[in-house]
Amino acid sequence: MNRVRTIGLLTSGGDAPGMNAAIRGVVRCAVNNGIKVLGFEKGYNGLLDNEYREMDKRSVSDIVDRGGTILFTARSKEFFDKEGRAKAIEVLKKNSVDALVVLGGDGTFRGAKELYDQCNGEINVIGIPATIDLDIACTEYTIGFDTAINTAMEGVDRIRDTSTSHERCSIVEVMGRNAGYIAAYTGISTGAEDIIIPENNEYGDINKIITRVRIANKKGKKHYIIINAEGIGHSYEMANMIETITGIETRATILGHLQRGGSPTCKDRVYASIMGCKAVEVLIEGKKNRLIVYRNGEFTDVDINVGLAEKKPFPQYFIRTAVELESK
């Protein structure tokens, strides 16, 4: 007999393309198994305010291709206080919610874990990794990353056209918070001359970059593209320094939230859909306190405590590849 009768569903933190596909996966797989779904709006704030809507198959029609999240999202300071979580637990119990499925990143999962612990496991929690940063250690894929890197790649391709026409140096700052995955993928895929990431500050030394810009200019190179990670920042200051010291016109472009929006790629639609269905399967199996992950080519699940404790060293082959491909 299925012990899960009602699932609470929410999206929290930064939005990520593919969240809607995951929402659709959760709702349709749940309804197919006779489980009721309540979609709480605006992240954990929706729990605190008892703001939800019951979802059915029709409520998630025609959303798989849409960016953002139909449940809206927010960050909630109140929820991370014990009193706030007590209020959220009360709301969930009032609505007879057996399990809470949350889409988000590290902060979202830590909040879910705290809720699970505080209610002594009375309300199960399942996390689905949805963040463009790819900074969740226990999974090789996070919803939204593929769309973000493709958006950034296309942006840099366009910037290069202008950079070449004006014989400029261009610094393009991409998102990723304190993780350099978007910068590394974007830099290698666009043939950028330099990639600056938090995980390798030596290669991002501004003085060494200035030297390389000068050498490239003397060799007749018509443009110089530098990809800078958000975790490093200071792109405008870097551009001013390069132009002042080298005399080469230099411009900084911050792609910003452009990378969060837009229609998700095929990969983000498919993987997010599978993860949404997997979350429901895990609940039906009776597992508790889990994260849905993609590892070694498989969609599986891990204990949330184990997953959050894992560390994710940045793959050095990205850095080695970037250096090898650098224009000498």
Side-chain angles (χ1 to χ4, degrees):
M1 182 177 178
N2 180 16
R3 291 178 292 174
V4 180
R5 294 178 177 82
T6 304
I7 292 174
L9 175 63
L10 62 83
T11 52
S12 176
D15 63 312
M19 277 184 163
N20 284 328
I23 290 170
R24 177 174 174 266
V26 170
V27 171
R28 292 201 167 173
C29 287
V31 172
N32 285 341
N33 285 278
I35 301 172
K36 183 178 179 181
V37 181
L38 304 183
F40 287 87
E41 299 188 342
K42 304 171 188 174
Y44 288 123
N45 287 331
L47 292 186
L48 298 171
D49 299 333
N50 196 24
E51 188 176 351
Y52 69 88
R53 50 180 141 141
E54 185 169 349
M55 306 184 79
D56 58 21
K57 290 184 179 182
R58 295 303 303 164
S59 68
V60 292
S61 295
D62 302 323
I63 67 168
V64 71
D65 61 330
R66 289 168 54 186
T69 162
I70 63 168
L71 290 177
F72 309 106
T73 187
R75 291 181 171 88
S76 173
K77 291 183 180 179
E78 185 181 355
F79 180 81
F80 284 88
D81 292 332
K82 189 172 182 179
E83 295 76 12
R85 288 193 299 276
K87 183 178 177 182
I89 292 169
E90 183 181 343
V91 168
L92 289 169
K93 288 182 176 180
K94 176 182 177 181
N95 290 293
S96 302
V97 173
D98 306 299
L100 181 66
V101 176
V102 299
L103 282 77
D106 185 83
T108 299
F109 299 153
R110 292 188 186 279
K113 172 191 175 300
E114 292 295 330
L115 183 144
Y116 179 84
D117 291 342
Q118 191 167 325
C119 72
N120 298 314
E122 288 184 46
I123 299 168
N124 196 2
V125 297
I126 304 293
I128 300 176
T131 167
I132 67 170
D133 300 342
L134 195 66
D135 60 351
I136 306 297
C138 59
T139 182
E140 297 165 16
Y141 164 83
T142 60
I143 295 169
F145 176 71
D146 191 63
T147 303
I149 56 175
N150 276 282
T151 299
M153 178 186 71
E154 292 169 4
V156 174
D157 286 345
R158 286 165 171 75
I159 288 170
R160 178 184 285 104
D161 292 341
T162 294
S163 190
T164 302
S165 298
H166 292 267
E167 298 183 80
R168 285 177 181 160
C169 172
S170 290
I171 300 177
V172 184
E173 185 175 314
V174 298
M175 296 185 82
R177 204 164 44 177
N178 294 316
Y181 292 96
I182 294 178
Y185 274 76
T186 303
I188 292 172
S189 67
T190 59
E193 280 66 40
D194 273 301
I195 306 170
I196 311 174
I197 57 175
E199 295 87 349
N200 185 39
N201 286 329
E202 182 180 351
Y203 191 62
D205 185 296
I206 188 64
N207 294 311
K208 293 180 179 179
I209 289 174
I210 288 171
T211 298
R212 291 194 287 270
V213 170
R214 279 175 162 164
I215 291 172
N217 183 253
K218 287 179 180 178
K219 289 182 177 180
K221 192 165 180 61
K222 299 301 182 185
H223 67 262
Y224 198 94
I225 304 293
I226 301 168
I227 305 299
N228 186 29
E230 178 185 18
I232 298 295
H234 307 293
S235 295
Y236 291 114
E237 290 88 340
M238 287 183 190
N240 288 334
M241 187 180 297
I242 292 171
E243 182 165 333
T244 299
I245 294 174
T246 67
I248 297 169
E249 186 179 11
T250 305
R251 294 288 182 271
T253 303
I254 299 177
L255 295 183
H257 288 88
L258 176 75
Q259 296 153 93
R260 284 199 185 281
S263 185
T265 60
C266 177
K267 182 174 183 177
D268 275 331
R269 298 183 196 192
V270 174
Y271 280 31
S273 297
I274 294 172
M275 284 182 156
C277 289
K278 182 69 177 177
V280 177
E281 291 175 8
V282 166
L283 286 173
I284 293 173
E285 289 168 8
K287 295 182 180 179
K288 290 195 168 188
N289 209 28
R290 312 296 289 181
L291 293 179
I292 307 303
V293 299
Y294 180 78
R295 300 164 76 136
N296 302 317
E298 300 268 342
F299 291 94
T300 184
D301 58 280
V302 299
D303 182 88
I304 198 168
N305 296 291
V306 174
L308 289 175
E310 288 189 27
K311 303 298 180 185
K312 189 171 189 175
F314 192 84
Q316 292 301 302
Y317 55 80
F318 274 109
I319 296 171
R320 291 196 302 271
T321 300
V323 172
E324 286 298 322
L325 295 176
E326 177 194 342
S327 129
K328 307 295 183 182

